Every structure is written in C-alpha cells, then in structure tokens.
Amino acid sequence: MNFMAATTILLLLLTLLSTATSSSSSPDEQLLLLAFKSSLHDQASPSLSDWSPSSPTHHCNWTGVACTPHRSVSSLDLPGLNLSGDLPPSLCSLPSLSRLDLSRNLFSVPLPLHLSLCPSLLLLNLSSNLLWGPLPDRLPPSLTSLDLSHNPSISSQLPPDLGTLTSLKSLRLQASGLHGHIPADALLRLRSIELLDLSRNNLTGPLPANFGSGLPALAHLDLSQNNLSGPFPTDICNGNSLVELSLYENSFAGPVPPAAIQRCSSLERLQVQSNRFAGDFPSALWSLPRIRLIRAEDNRFTGRIPASVARSASLEQVQIDSNEFSGEIPPGLGSIPTMYRFSAPSNGFSGRLPDDFCGSPAMSILDVSRNSLSGPIPELANCTGLVSLSLAGNGLTGGIPRSLGRLQVLTYIDLSSNNLTGGIPEGLLGLKLALLNVSFNRLSGAVPLPLIAGLPASFLQGNPGLCGPGLPNACEDDEGGRGQSDGLTIAVVATAFAVGFVVLVLGFFGVYRLYRKGATSDGWKSVFFYPLGVSEDELITSLDEKSAIGRGPLGNVHLFQLPGGGLVAVKKLLNPGNLSLRTAKAEIGTLAKARHRNLTRVLGFCYSESALLLVHDYHRRGSVGDVLRSSGTLEWGVRLRIALGTARGLAYLHKDYVPHLLHRNLKSNNVLLDDDFEPKITGFGLDRVVGGDASYRLPMAHGSEPRCYIAPEHGYSKKTTEQMDIYSFGVLLLELITGREAERQESREAPDIVKWVRRKVNMTNGPLEVLDPKISSSSQQEMLGALDLALRCTSVMPEKRPASDEVVRSLESLHSVVNPPEIYSGELPISS
Ligand SMILES: *[C@@H]1O[C@H](CO)[C@@H](O)[C@H](O)[C@H]1NC(C)=O
Ligand SMILES: *[C@@H]1O[C@H](CO)[C@@H](O)[C@H](O)[C@H]1NC(C)=O
Ligand SMILES: *[C@@H]1O[C@H](CO)[C@@H](O)[C@H](O)[C@H]1NC(C)=O
Ligand SMILES: *[C@@H]1O[C@H](CO)[C@@H](O)[C@H](O)[C@H]1NC(C)=O
Ligand SMILES: *[C@@H]1O[C@H](CO)[C@@H](O)[C@H](O)[C@H]1NC(C)=O
Ligand SMILES: *[C@@H]1O[C@H](CO)[C@@H](O)[C@H](O)[C@H]1NC(C)=O
Ligand SMILES: *[C@@H]1O[C@H](CO)[C@@H](O)[C@H](O)[C@H]1NC(C)=O
Ligand SMILES: *[C@@H]1O[C@H](CO)[C@@H](O)[C@H](O)[C@H]1NC(C)=O
C-alpha cells in the first residue's frame, strides 16, 4: 500500500468521524475534497494549489468547485489540468455532487465502476483521458449525460445493459475503441436519449431492427466512421425530432426509402457520404423544411434533383460528388439565398446550365465538373461572392462570359476540357487568381501577357488557336513579323539549350577525367586577390567528394580550411571554353572589387583550360537555407536582419556598384550567415564568368534546382533584369516569414512557396496562417508587413515589383527595434 492510499483512507476515516459528530456538512466536504486531491499525483498540485486546509477561502471558492446555495459541493469542473492518479470512491460521499467533469486529463485507470454509486450525479465527463477496460454494465441510473469519448483504450463491446440508463439524454462514446455489433436491446430503452455519438469506433454489422423507434427523443445521431453495414434505418424519424443524422464512412447499402425521409420534418443535416447506398435519391429530402446540409458523395445514388428544390429556404451546402445523378440542373437551385456550396462533379447531369445557375451573392463554391452538360455558360453576374468555379469536363460551348471578370473574390476557375470558343477576356486580369485552367477547349486569340507570366502555360494547353509568347503559336500582330521573330527566338533558345547540354556533358567528362588522373595541378594558374597562405596545389588536391558541400548546375562547391583556421568555399566551374586567363582575371576581378558588408568576398581563382575554381569566403553557420532547414528556431528579429542585410547587398549590386551587377541566382542557399547572423550574399554575377545564358538558363534546366526562385517572365523575356532578382529575393523573404522551404516536391497542395502563400492569403485568416508558427505572435505585425512586401516582390508583373533600394527602405521601417543577436537555439549547421 502506498503512502497516498494510506492518506486517502486516513482522511476518509476522519470524514466518517466528523460526519458522525457534526451536523454542518461543509468541513466534511472540505476533507473529502482534500482526500481527492491527495489521491492525485503530484503534478496536479500547481493547478489545485488553493485546495489546502490552510487556504483562507472557503472550499466552495476553490478552483473548479461550485456549491449549492447551502454550501454543499454540487460540481467539480477540472478539465484539462493534467491530473492523474486515482478516482477514489469517496467522491460519491459528496451528497450533492451532480456534475463531475475530469475531461482532458491524464487519468489512466480502469473505468471507475464505483462512480456509478454517486447518488446525485447527473453529468459525468471523463472524455479524453487514458481510461481502459470494458464499459461497466451498471452506471448511475440518475445520469443524464455521460461522456467517455476519446479514451481509445476502452476497447469494449457495447454492454447490453446500457439501456437501463432511462434518464440519459446525452451519450458520447466516440473514438473509444468500441467494436462488435450493436446489441439488439442495448439502446432500445434509452427513452430519453437526445444525443447519441458512437462515431469513430470499429462497430460492425447492421443496426438492430426498430433502431429508431426505440429512441423517441433522438435529435442527434452520429454513427459515422465505423464499419456498420446493412440497410438504411427506415424508422429513424419515427415520432422523434431528428435534427442531425451522420452515417458517413460506413458500409451501409441499398436504397434510402423516400417514406423514411418524408417523416424527417426537423432534419437539418444529413451526412451519408462514403457508403454503398444506391437507388433513387429520395426527392423529398430536397424540400424538407429545415434541411441545411446534404452530403451524399461517393455512393451510387441515381435520380434527379427535383424542380421543387428552388423553393428551399434553408439549404446551405450540397455535396453529391461521384454518384449517378442525371437530368438537368433545375432553375432556381443557384438562387437559393442561403446556399453557398453546390458540388456535384462526376455525375451524369446533362442539358444546359440554367441562367440563374450562379444567382445568389451567398454562393461561393460551384462545381459541376465531369458531367455531360452542354450549351453556353450563362452570365454569372449575381453571385458576387463566388470563390471557386469548376465546370471542367463537360461539353459546354460558346465563350467565356465577360462577367467572370467582375466577380471580385473569384480565385479558382477551371473551365478545362469543354468546347469553349473565343478569346480569354481581359477582365480576368483584374482578379487575384490562384488557378485558371482553360486547357483543352477551342479558344483562340492572343492571351493577355500577365496570364502567361503568372500561370504555367500548361493551363492554357490544348487550345491550338491561342497565341502569345511562350505558347506554340506566336500572334500575328500588326507590328509585322514580330510574331515570327518570337517563334524564331524560341527555336534558337531551344537549340541553345540542346547545344548547352551537350557541352555540359562533355565538360563533365573532361573534369571527371582530370580528377581521375589524380588531380594534378598541371596546367593550373592561380590569381589570389587576398593572401590565403595556400598554394593552388593544396587547393586542387583537396577537392574530393568528401569536401563537397553543395552540388549545383554550374559545378560543385567544396569547403577548404585555411592554415589559419578560416574557411573558404571553392566553387568549381566549367570553363566555357572561350574564356582566356586574361578575361577571367578581368571579370573575376570585377566581382572581387565588389566589397560590401553583405557580400562574400571573392578571394581569388584558379584557372585551367577546362575549369575554373572560384574561391570565396565561407561561414561556419552555413547558408540561410541550412539554418531554416535545421531544427533550431531563428527569432523574428534575426530573420528580419537577414532580410535587411540581403536586400542591402542586392541594392549595392544593382545600384551602387559600377558596373551594375545582377545576381541571377539568388536563393536561400546562396546567402551565408556569419557568426553574428549577418547575411553574406554569395554566387553573384557568375554570368560574367560562364556567360549570361549558362548562368541563368542552366539552373533552370537542372532538375534538382528549385525553380521557384525564377521569375515567371523568364519564359518570354529575352534579357535578365533587376526585377528578376527582386522576385528571387521575395521568395527568400517568404521562406523567412513562413519557415517553409521554397519548394516542396512532396507537397501536393503547391510545391512552390509563392503559389502556396497566394492561395492561403486569399482566404479568410489566410495571412495569419502562413506565418511561421514557431515565432511568437508578438512579432505578428512586423511579419505581416514583411509578407506584404514579399508579395509585392513576387508580383506576377515585373513592373509592380519594388526596386531593391525601395525594398531596403521598407524593411528598415519594419526594423524599428534592432534586436540583439544570439537568439539562435540549436546546433550550428556547418556543412551537410
Ligand atoms: C468567494 O470569493 C468571493 C470573492 O472572491 C467572496 O465574495 C465570496 O464570499 C467567497 N465565497 C465563499 C463561500 O467563500
Ligand atoms: C499539461 O502538460 C503539458 C505538457 O507537459 C503542458 O504543456 C501544459 O501546459 C500542461 N497544462 C496544465 C494546465 O498544466
Ligand atoms: C466533456 O468535456 C469535453 C472537453 O472538455 C467537452 O468538449 C465536452 O463537450 C464535454 N461533454 C459534455 C457532455 O459536457
Ligand atoms: C479498428 O480495427 C482495426 C483492425 O482491427 C484497427 O487497426 C483499428 O485501429 C481500429 N480502429 C479504431 C478506431 O479502433
Ligand atoms: C469491416 O467489415 C468487413 C466485413 O463486414 C471486414 O472484412 C473488414 O475487415 C472490416 N474493416 C475493419 C477496418 O474492421
Ligand atoms: C440578378 O439580380 C437581378 C436583381 O435582383 C435580377 O433582376 C436578375 O434577374 C438576376 N439575374 C439572374 C441571371 O439571376
Ligand atoms: C466538341 O465539339 C466537337 C465538334 O463539334 C465534337 O466532336 C466533340 O465531341 C465536342 N467535345 C465535347 C467534349 O463535347
Ligand atoms: C487543367 O485541366 C486539365 C484538363 O482537364 C487537367 O488535366 C489538368 O490537371 C488541370 N490542371 C490543373 C492544375 O488543375
């Protein structure tokens, strides 16, 4: 026997003694509460610190305690306090205790059978604990509300005697590991039951016969996410006033008989999705007076939506995807003033869309894709709240309605795989679209430029008549021959790609042979702008696989420790062939003279006919990318300083340094951090060494390189610009704000951080959702300011992006409070 049990017994004895000698109940009740506290494990003490015999307050005022007017404990509400330990029978000695809520704690004991002895208990809430063992056969007969949900270890069958709880109004047993059949008479005497939740268990088999008739007070029934089978319970609305029926994700089969539904005059929510129901969908359902939600997707329902649906005054949400509905979409459906979602893809609806298909300002999601609809898309003028429109995979004809451009919050448009003709309306440019898919139609004419730039061209594909830069067809416009020359440019670029690739492959072979020979320094010449204290021999022989810290399209990066302890990075570049030692010296000299606190120094280079080794500073902390990917957390103040420093470095390259330089490959892996988290941009201006085309296009062609740093206009723009660097900077800034990698291949949502952020930001609460959750909310205002800037930097239209000096000013204004360094908690990421 442990100390606690002994204490409990001692206190109980005291209790009994005092009960025998005193008529006032209060002090005894205080002892009972203290006995309960002593049966709990220690970690409870902080939350129940005022539960103490020396406490100046009356025990009726203790945490979680409430009393009757006669100062007898009537309720114990102690949810979510991490309590664990025993649930002693002495609690039942509190004569007035009617409510016991110990939910969301850590009690890990067998289901406390003895609590069934509590004489006055009405509500018992033990949900979300770690209780185990079978459900007791006997429960307090006076109970009106029993919640044992979310105790996955209960793992029990439903006891046949549950039905003795004739006063029970609410029974919640969801996610409690229940399995087996529902016994025929377990529930049939729950005459008072209003809410019954058995969802998320492993119950199997059919429902007992007369299931509904036995539950005359039932209002909310949730049997979803089990493995129940058999027919729809036809008597479910017998004489009760059922409001909510959830049968989804089970194996129910057969029809839903119309007669069963007709009686459900109070039904508001019906969820029968993901079962094996079949047969005509009960048409009475559509005109039930209170129906708000119908979810029936993923079944095999047939039949039509009756015209009477137009009179519904309550329908809000209908989802009947992937069934076998047929007939027309009835007029009036889209004008039901309460309806905000109608989703019916993958059915057999046919005929024309009614004129008022999108007729209500409440409507926000419309999806009738993959049906057999025909005729034109009606003007969608009155549904000003529409966010998502999917009409893909039908046989719709005619043009894209101009009215789409006036729907201010429209974000997703999928009109793909129809027979639409005409052009893409300019009006769509005014929308903040996240997706426009008009592929596989018969559209024609010039595509508005920003659409090409902002959205991958594949969403326009399969429209042979569309023309524009980057598309298979150039437009024949009145500037005479320009279109043709665009086509020519594309051909030239394509050839250049092919040739470039061959050169690259040959080059690799050359370098490979060179190193296989044993990395001799024969034929190497070196130029050092700073004294490094090493010879090119030492540098060259050190460049083996082990020292490689990064692999890039232009060559690998190796780390080299100088005799003095400092680190330098050696970037191995292929000599494009036409670069003489003299030009290399001039060009790399130009890079070396670019000196700024936020640029890495170019220290020197080694030259041979086939390769160049570019030597620059390296820093132990690695790159911004390394630090963001590691497990530690960078505080916002540090991230903002990184953003600001990077912007200053970039502005120096763009504006102050002569000649002006472009970075052309800015990304989080190209910004190193020194010991004080001061950012140092590296890898800038390599176009001067390997040629503009290679430096910009090779990273794009290289499969493993993130593409999302590349501005969308690269596809049609002939020259690289400062705005493209600003786009890349915007992507880096988004990484700092969200803590998310720029590109996530495994993310089905959106691999590209810009798209991901845009989608989220367009939703309510969106901006807050993208902020890195690891950062305290006190930085929220600054982060939102930075987010706004990042969105401008990543604008689809280059001319809308701020210049680099403007970026610096914006960040400086955010950076009002300069935070001290050394806030990094985690291992130093040195190299990978
Ligand atoms: C409970 O505390 C309040 C003030 O906090 C006090 O007014 C009241 O008298 C106390 N009740 C008892 C029973 O001690
Ligand atoms: C419960 O424990 C968790 C984890 O230890 C802790 O985060 C939480 O603050 C605790 N809650 C209370 C009320 O003590
Ligand atoms: C039981 O407690 C949980 C969590 O504290 C709460 O969500 C639930 O509504 C309660 N159940 C009843 C029947 O009051
Ligand atoms: C249901 O049973 C299966 C197989 O016995 C088990 O893997 C699963 O965890 C159970 N699910 C629940 C919710 O208890
Ligand atoms: C559901 O029940 C079927 C038989 O009715 C059984 O084959 C299947 O394994 C069950 N699934 C689970 C998860 O228990
Ligand atoms: C749009 O609303 C106006 C005014 O309520 C109404 O007259 C018109 O018929 C509606 N148009 C459609 C297509 O529903
Ligand atoms: C589109 O129109 C063509 C020619 O009129 C027809 O052959 C084709 O079946 C139509 N496509 C669809 C999806 O209706
Ligand atoms: C665009 O539509 C086509 C044809 O329906 C489809 O194959 C493609 O996956 C769609 N793209 C997106 C991003 O939705």
Side-chain angles (χ1 to χ4, degrees):
M1 177 180 297
N2 61 27
F3 169 74
M4 236 151 23
T7 323
T8 311
I9 286 174
L10 186 67
L11 284 163
L12 270 176
L13 283 175
L14 283 172
T15 309
L16 289 175
L17 270 176
S18 60
T19 318
T21 55
S22 152
S23 62
S24 152
S25 70
S26 291
D28 324 339
E29 297 202 356
Q30 182 172 40
L31 286 178
L32 283 166
L33 292 178
L34 291 171
F36 171 52
K37 182 184 176 187
S38 70
S39 74
L40 299 173
H41 287 160
D42 286 333
Q43 59 263 46
S45 316
S47 17
L48 300 185
S49 56
D50 60 346
W51 286 39
S52 148
S54 55
S55 167
T57 46
H58 190 269
H59 66 258
C60 284
N61 260 3
W62 288 356
T63 302
V65 181
C67 291
T68 63
H70 306 293
R71 295 198 169 189
S72 179
V73 174
S74 60
S75 104
L76 285 178
D77 275 298
L78 302 169
L81 298 175
N82 289 347
L83 305 180
S84 65
D86 272 342
L87 291 168
S90 57
L91 280 175
C92 286
S93 307
L94 293 165
S96 311
L97 186 68
S98 64
R99 187 186 153 89
L100 180 57
D101 182 352
L102 300 171
S103 62
R104 292 189 286 122
N105 281 299
L106 301 168
F107 289 106
S108 164
V109 292
L111 272 170
L113 299 166
H114 48 261
L115 291 182
S116 62
L117 298 172
C118 292
S120 323
L121 203 59
L122 297 177
L123 178 141
L124 177 58
N125 192 346
L126 300 173
S127 66
S128 303
N129 275 286
L130 302 162
L131 302 174
W132 46 276
L135 282 175
D137 277 348
R138 299 232 150 262
L139 282 161
S142 59
L143 271 193
T144 59
S145 182
L146 174 61
D147 192 341
L148 301 175
S149 62
H150 299 281
N151 282 288
S153 309
I154 287 184
S155 179
S156 169
Q157 309 220 350
L158 276 173
D161 279 355
L162 212 54
T164 53
L165 296 170
T166 47
S167 0
L168 203 60
K169 291 185 175 159
S170 159
L171 176 59
R172 297 181 208 235
L173 296 171
Q174 68 269 28
S176 302
L178 300 182
H179 51 83
H181 285 46
I182 298 181
D185 43 5
L187 306 173
L188 293 188
R189 276 169 293 156
L190 295 170
R191 310 288 312 171
S192 316
I193 201 85
E194 292 167 8
L195 182 150
L196 178 57
D197 192 343
L198 303 176
S199 63
R200 289 194 266 162
N201 285 297
N202 258 343
L203 297 169
T204 53
L207 298 179
N210 306 325
F211 178 78
S213 314
L215 308 169
L218 193 63
H220 300 270
L221 176 64
D222 194 346
L223 302 176
S224 62
Q225 295 177 293
N226 278 287
N227 201 1
L228 295 164
S229 54
F232 184 86
T234 45
D235 61 347
I236 198 66
C237 289
N238 249 2
N240 56 26
S241 39
L242 194 67
V243 172
E244 174 167 27
L245 177 58
S246 289
L247 303 179
Y248 63 91
E249 291 177 39
N250 278 291
S251 302
F252 289 110
V256 176
I261 291 298
Q262 236 145 22
R263 287 190 293 262
C264 298
S265 54
S266 39
L267 194 64
E268 294 178 12
R269 304 163 65 83
L270 176 76
Q271 302 193 71
V272 296
Q273 68 268 30
S274 300
N275 277 287
R276 298 194 208 130
F277 288 119
D280 275 0
F281 195 69
S283 54
L285 190 62
W286 300 100
S287 37
L288 289 178
R290 303 217 181 129
I291 192 77
R292 292 195 287 141
L293 170 73
I294 297 177
R295 289 197 59 178
E297 62 266 29
D298 297 313
N299 282 288
R300 267 171 271 146
F301 285 117
T302 54
R304 296 160 172 258
I305 302 181
S308 59
V309 72
R311 293 195 296 273
S312 172
S314 51
L315 257 185
E316 291 171 5
Q317 190 180 348
V318 173
Q319 286 173 253
I320 53 172
D321 321 21
S322 303
N323 280 287
E324 293 161 23
F325 283 90
S326 58
E328 299 194 355
I329 309 274
L333 176 81
S335 295
I336 296 172
T338 43
M339 180 102 102
Y340 67 86
R341 175 169 194 171
F342 180 73
S343 170
S346 301
N347 276 287
F349 288 109
S350 58
R352 297 162 70 104
L353 287 171
D355 281 345
D356 63 354
F357 173 61
C358 194
S360 147
M363 185 67 86
S364 75
I365 300 173
L366 266 178
D367 186 352
V368 290
S369 53
R370 298 186 300 286
N371 279 283
S372 304
L373 300 164
S374 55
I377 305 175
E379 289 295 333
L380 307 172
N382 285 359
C383 51
T384 46
L386 194 67
V387 172
S388 174
L389 176 69
S390 305
L391 303 175
N394 283 286
L396 299 172
T397 52
I400 300 177
R402 292 188 182 280
S403 49
L404 279 188
R406 291 197 295 271
L407 303 180
Q408 288 302 318
V409 293
L410 192 55
T411 311
Y412 302 86
I413 305 180
D414 189 353
L415 306 177
S416 62
S417 300
N418 279 289
N419 255 339
L420 301 174
T421 50
I424 299 179
E426 291 272 344
L428 296 186
L429 298 185
L431 302 177
K432 276 197 199 159
L433 287 179
L435 175 82
L436 173 70
N437 194 345
V438 293
S439 55
F440 302 103
N441 278 287
R442 291 190 282 140
L443 298 170
S444 55
V447 178
L449 258 192
L451 285 184
I452 298 183
L455 299 157
S458 64
F459 302 168
L460 306 168
Q461 81 194 66
N463 290 285
L466 285 181
C467 67
L471 295 178
N473 298 322
C475 296
E476 287 171 25
D477 55 26
D478 36 20
E479 278 168 59
R482 207 195 105 208
Q484 211 183 356
S485 87
D486 274 351
L488 202 62
T489 313
I490 288 164
V492 168
V493 167
T495 317
F497 255 102
V499 171
F501 185 69
V502 171
V503 169
L504 184 71
V505 168
L506 291 180
F508 265 127
F509 269 105
V511 173
Y512 178 61
R513 283 207 346 251
L514 178 73
Y515 288 109
R516 228 177 32 153
K517 263 190 353 212
T520 108
S521 57
D522 287 353
W524 286 94
K525 306 213 168 46
S526 47
V527 176
F528 293 129
F529 305 112
Y530 296 84
L532 292 185
V534 288
S535 68
E536 71 241 31
D537 267 10
E538 291 168 62
L539 269 183
I540 292 157
T541 48
S542 74
L543 303 186
D544 55 11
E545 280 302 301
K546 265 191 299 175
S547 67
I549 54 163
R551 271 157 251 281
L554 297 172
N556 291 352
V557 179
H558 297 259
L559 205 56
F560 185 83
Q561 181 141 26
L562 297 174
L567 284 174
V568 294
V570 181
K571 195 178 185 95
K572 196 165 32 170
L573 300 169
L574 295 173
N575 188 338
N578 55 2
L579 190 70
S580 67
L581 179 59
R582 234 185 84 189
T583 33
K585 204 168 170 176
E587 296 294 2
I588 299 176
T590 305
L591 301 186
K593 275 183 248 151
R595 299 286 314 276
H596 186 272
R597 168 184 165 87
N598 297 113
L599 298 180
T600 53
R601 290 180 306 168
V602 175
L603 305 170
F605 70 98
C606 305
Y607 174 95
S608 84
E609 303 255 73
S610 58
L612 275 174
L613 306 177
L614 199 60
V615 184
H616 59 79
D617 283 331
Y618 193 74
H619 298 278
R620 233 167 253 286
R621 286 203 193 274
S623 68
V624 173
D626 292 334
V627 171
L628 283 177
R629 276 190 298 275
S630 73
S631 54
T633 302
L634 279 183
E635 280 200 3
W636 174 246
V638 180
R639 296 191 198 198
L640 189 53
R641 285 201 308 133
I642 292 173
L644 183 53
T646 308
R648 283 179 178 146
L650 199 58
Y652 171 81
L653 290 176
H654 284 177
K655 308 286 179 198
D656 297 334
Y657 188 64
V658 183
H660 295 335
L661 295 177
L662 295 178
H663 189 295
R664 293 172 179 245
N665 193 16
L666 186 64
K667 54 185 179 181
S668 56
N669 285 348
N670 268 343
V671 178
L672 304 176
L673 293 174
D674 75 9
D675 288 349
D676 294 322
F677 288 97
E678 192 61 48
K680 309 273 185 184
I681 302 178
T682 184
F684 51 89
L686 291 185
D687 60 306
R688 301 195 142 251
V689 185
V690 295
D693 224 40
S695 75
Y696 204 68
R697 303 215 179 257
L698 282 180
M700 284 159 44
H702 196 263
S704 66
E705 278 290 286
R707 297 177 57 88
C708 62
Y709 290 96
I710 301 170
E713 72 269 22
H714 80 267
Y716 65 84
S717 169
K718 292 190 195 71
K719 76 192 231 288
T720 47
T721 58
E722 288 180 12
Q723 285 103 342
M724 292 185 184
D725 276 350
I726 296 293
Y727 185 93
S728 311
F729 174 81
V731 174
L732 192 156
L733 185 54
L734 286 177
E735 284 177 270
L736 290 167
I737 294 165
T738 61
R740 196 185 148 99
E741 280 167 73
E743 209 159 84
R744 279 195 183 171
Q745 287 311 339
E746 75 281 12
S747 162
R748 273 190 297 140
E749 245 186 314
D752 177 332
I753 193 170
V754 178
K755 297 215 173 73
W756 181 79
V757 168
R758 285 252 171 82
R759 275 175 208 186
K760 294 267 176 189
V761 164
N762 280 335
M763 299 174 192
T764 0
N765 263 341
L768 293 180
E769 255 175 51
V770 305
L771 306 185
D772 190 337
K774 294 200 290 289
I775 289 186
S776 107
S777 56
S778 60
S779 306
Q780 214 173 64
Q781 277 319 311
E782 279 182 25
M783 291 176 86
L784 288 175
L787 178 63
D788 188 57
L789 177 66
L791 287 174
R792 284 196 291 135
C793 291
T794 53
S795 165
V796 160
M797 281 173 259
E799 64 276 12
K800 292 209 172 153
R801 295 177 207 146
S804 43
D805 46 356
E806 203 185 317
V807 172
V808 172
R809 283 195 299 276
S810 301
L811 286 170
E812 278 169 347
S813 70
L814 285 177
H815 197 252
S816 43
V817 186
V818 181
N819 303 310
E822 216 31 80
I823 343 246
Y824 180 71
S825 53
E827 293 280 305
L828 288 190
I830 295 177
S831 68
S832 44

